[in-house]
Amino acid sequence: MSSAIFIKNLDHYFGHGQLRKQVLHNINLEINAGEIVIMSGPSGSGKTTLLTLVGALRSAQSGSLQVLGQELSGASTKELIQVRKHHGYIFQGHNLHGSLTALQNVKMGLELHKNIRWRQMQARSIQMLKQVGLGNRLHYYPEQLSGGQKQRVAIARALVSYPRIVLADEPTAALDSQSGRDVVNLMQKLAKEQGCTILMVTHDNRILDIGDRLVHMEDGKLKSKKGLENRAWENSN
């Protein structure tokens, strides 16, 4: 099985001079294509920083970070943009544009793909919203949708480009238990159908079972990499 994400001896720093602070320490992690990996750990442990590096939202500084075979350590802005075309992002706060309808928000997930015509973008976006159960909410604005429905729109936007990697940062944090379960089940189902890799950051112990593997981060270091059979780890977090 090929690696979608390969990280070796990765360090990362914020600030400069006397204010320079190391936030990631010697990270080593390999994620296979099609795998769902859940990353947990306390606030401030470096989870989101690692997610943004994998997501090519900033350039890796030290060590090796390869995503879909592309080295991101020292990558240029142009190279990072090219890598981002293969990613889908799901954020804690859904990050929908309030002035756009659900359909228009989902179509934004295709903006980097200049080879897709408007009619195709429209058809694919409608189909994806139908898949997440919002076929009757195409022209609703975010303020007209519930929290769970907004996250469904965010999932549709992330998956509409058929990304090879989906990165999710606390996707259930603002949702009640049932809505959170529905959202991650949907993510799991659609990702498996599309054959994409998922790296998810979460504090929500109720959804850990959707992952193929659990990774725990603390103080900028990977402390453990455990399979789902280790329920004692889940219960202690």
Side-chain angles (χ1 to χ4, degrees):
M1 187 175 290
S2 60
S3 297
I5 301 166
F6 183 78
I7 306 172
K8 187 173 179 62
N9 302 331
L10 180 69
D11 296 326
H12 198 74
Y13 303 82
F14 286 149
H16 301 279
Q18 292 183 335
L19 297 178
R20 191 171 189 244
K21 179 182 178 182
Q22 188 168 0
V23 291
L24 295 178
H25 302 260
N26 195 35
I27 303 296
N28 291 278
L29 179 65
E30 184 173 5
I31 300 176
N32 293 321
E35 193 175 14
I36 299 177
V37 173
I38 294 181
M39 182 161 53
S40 190
S43 297
S45 60
K47 304 184 304 297
T48 296
T49 298
L50 182 57
L51 203 69
T52 59
L53 289 170
V54 172
L57 298 175
R58 54 165 60 101
S59 181
Q61 299 166 341
S62 174
S64 177
L65 170 55
Q66 297 176 26
V67 177
L68 301 174
Q70 174 74 44
E71 178 61 63
L72 300 190
S73 185
S76 67
T77 299
K78 185 176 181 180
E79 289 170 332
L80 293 177
I81 290 173
Q82 288 300 315
V83 171
R84 289 201 291 269
K85 289 184 179 181
H86 301 292
H87 292 172
Y89 300 90
I90 304 171
F91 302 95
Q92 174 178 339
H94 58 70
N95 283 18
L96 301 181
H97 288 262
S99 62
L100 302 180
T101 64
L103 179 58
Q104 291 169 329
N105 268 288
V106 173
K107 281 166 62 177
M108 288 189 67
L110 295 169
E111 282 195 341
L112 284 176
H113 301 264
K114 305 301 182 184
N115 60 324
I116 301 178
R117 296 183 177 180
W118 185 89
R119 185 173 294 179
Q120 187 181 3
M121 289 174 62
Q122 185 85 352
R124 195 190 286 188
S125 298
I126 291 172
Q127 179 59 32
M128 187 56 66
L129 280 166
K130 288 180 178 178
Q131 282 187 262
V132 301
L134 293 177
N136 61 344
R137 298 286 193 273
L138 301 179
H139 305 295
Y140 281 52
Y141 290 90
E143 65 180 15
Q144 299 171 302
L145 300 173
S146 69
Q149 288 171 333
K150 290 175 187 176
Q151 272 304 54
R152 286 170 178 264
V153 175
I155 290 171
R157 180 181 59 190
L159 295 176
V160 71
S161 64
Y162 304 146
R164 295 173 65 185
I165 294 177
V166 171
L167 302 168
D169 193 1
E170 299 282 3
T172 65
L175 303 178
D176 60 56
S177 179
Q178 187 57 53
S179 296
R181 169 52 63 177
D182 291 344
V183 161
V184 295
N185 284 347
L186 186 61
M187 283 177 59
Q188 182 185 42
K189 174 178 178 290
L190 295 177
K192 290 296 186 184
E193 289 175 357
Q194 294 188 11
C196 68
T197 305
I198 295 181
L199 177 59
M200 182 193 304
V201 166
T202 187
H203 284 105
D204 191 346
N205 295 334
R206 300 168 299 185
I207 64 170
L208 297 180
D209 59 295
I210 76 152
D212 298 311
R213 186 155 47 110
L214 305 174
V215 174
H216 185 62
M217 182 171 272
E218 204 167 306
D219 298 326
K221 302 173 184 176
L222 287 183
K223 293 291 186 180
S224 57
K225 304 169 201 164
K226 302 189 178 182
L228 288 173
E229 69 280 358
N230 193 329
R231 297 298 172 180
W233 183 89
E234 291 182 20
N235 295 332
S236 67
N237 283 274

